[in-house]
Amino acid sequence: DIQMTQSPSSVSASVGDRVTITCRASQGISSWLAWYQQKPGKAPKVLVSAASSLQSGVPSRFSGSGSGTDFTLTISSLQPEDFATYYCQQANSFPITFGGGTKVEIK
Amino acid sequence: QLQLQESGPGLVKPSETLSLTCTVSDGSISSSRYYWGWIRQPPGKGLEWIGTIYYSGSTYYNPSLKSRVTISVDTSKNRFSLKLSSVTAADTAVYYCARQVGTTSDYWGQGTLVTVSS
């Protein structure tokens, strides 16, 4: 199985801050990576697929990058509605595996 | 707009079988473009993939759950189902169904909490 390691597990930030979340795969997955946002009591929502392809309707302040084993999700200017937990997921092969999550909290 | 809705008992006794159904609306489960999956999330914890099915019936399971999981599809009713046997308290979680493009889940149900308790 491909293990996904996210860091940090939590981050405190202010509105307007730039936030970067990293995800590392235990083996190369090319660009087969997705990022999800989850708010309390809600289902996850896919933000980015194929490492850098922004889903329709997702604000352009979100961006994804990386390939191989190292990936990042960047929020260029944090907005109040962005406080949530973010998960990466390798989309290279079954079994599907997720990172442990990064909680973005208000500073 | 595609919608997925989980249904099933919210309380299951230890050692029994958890059974959930996901009904798909405003879209066909028989589309060759998509897979259909189950993901769960224990309270306060992260996401765990359970398994995925294609409309043809091909299945893929999490190795850690494989001996206890069965996912099936009913194309005539546009729904797919999850059965998890021999449940314990560790299986208490919010269970989500989702549409998958490849292995990326682009539409999710709202989730249903299943508690394992006597």
Side-chain angles (χ1 to χ4, degrees):
Chain A
D1 300 2
I2 300 172
Q3 306 305 314
M4 306 302 294
T5 303
Q6 263 183 261
S7 61
S9 57
S10 66
V11 58
S12 294
S14 300
V15 172
D17 284 354
R18 181 183 182 90
V19 173
T20 298
I21 300 167
T22 65
C23 183
R24 174 165 288 176
S26 61
Q27 64 189 72
I29 57 171
S30 185
S31 295
W32 295 109
L33 185 101
W35 288 99
Y36 299 87
Q37 176 193 65
Q38 186 179 33
K39 297 182 178 179
K42 299 294 186 182
K45 170 189 172 184
V46 63
L47 300 176
V48 173
S49 62
S52 60
S53 180
L54 212 60
Q55 293 293 105
S56 174
V58 175
S60 59
R61 62 181 178 273
F62 290 93
S63 63
S65 65
S67 67
T69 60
D70 294 312
F71 302 86
T72 61
L73 175 71
T74 300
I75 310 171
S76 60
S77 177
L78 199 65
Q79 297 302 300
E81 59 268 31
D82 301 336
F83 292 96
T85 300
Y86 295 84
Y87 294 93
C88 62
Q89 178 228 306
Q90 64 86 10
N92 182 72
S93 60
F94 293 110
I96 295 167
T97 47
F98 291 89
T102 296
K103 187 172 184 179
V104 177
E105 300 175 298
I106 302 172
K107 193 171 189 178
Chain B
Q1 175 87 347
L2 184 79
Q3 294 184 63
L4 297 93
Q5 179 67 57
E6 304 91 351
S7 60
L11 181 64
V12 181
K13 290 182 168 55
S15 80
E16 295 190 344
T17 296
L18 178 160
S19 296
L20 295 174
T21 295
C22 181
T23 301
V24 179
S25 305
D26 295 324
S28 174
I29 204 169
S30 299
S31 170
S32 59
R33 294 183 61 193
Y34 306 113
Y35 292 77
W36 305 90
W38 288 97
I39 298 112
R40 70 179 183 179
Q41 185 171 36
K45 296 189 178 180
L47 300 167
E48 180 182 33
W49 172 71
I50 300 170
T52 293
I53 192 164
Y54 194 52
Y55 78 97
S56 63
S58 298
T59 52
Y60 309 84
Y61 295 139
N62 188 323
S64 68
L65 300 169
K66 188 174 183 177
S67 63
R68 299 194 291 130
V69 172
T70 302
I71 297 176
S72 58
V73 64
D74 185 340
T75 55
S76 67
K77 295 183 178 178
N78 220 38
R79 67 188 191 190
F80 61 109
S81 300
L82 167 70
K83 291 188 185 299
L84 180 65
S85 64
S86 304
V87 298
T88 70
D91 295 308
T92 293
V94 175
Y95 286 75
Y96 295 101
C97 60
R99 186 182 83 171
Q100 295 174 329
V101 180
T103 57
T104 299
S105 298
D106 63 346
Y107 279 91
W108 296 64
Q110 64 184 22
T112 186
L113 174 63
V114 179
T115 302
V116 178
S117 175
S118 56

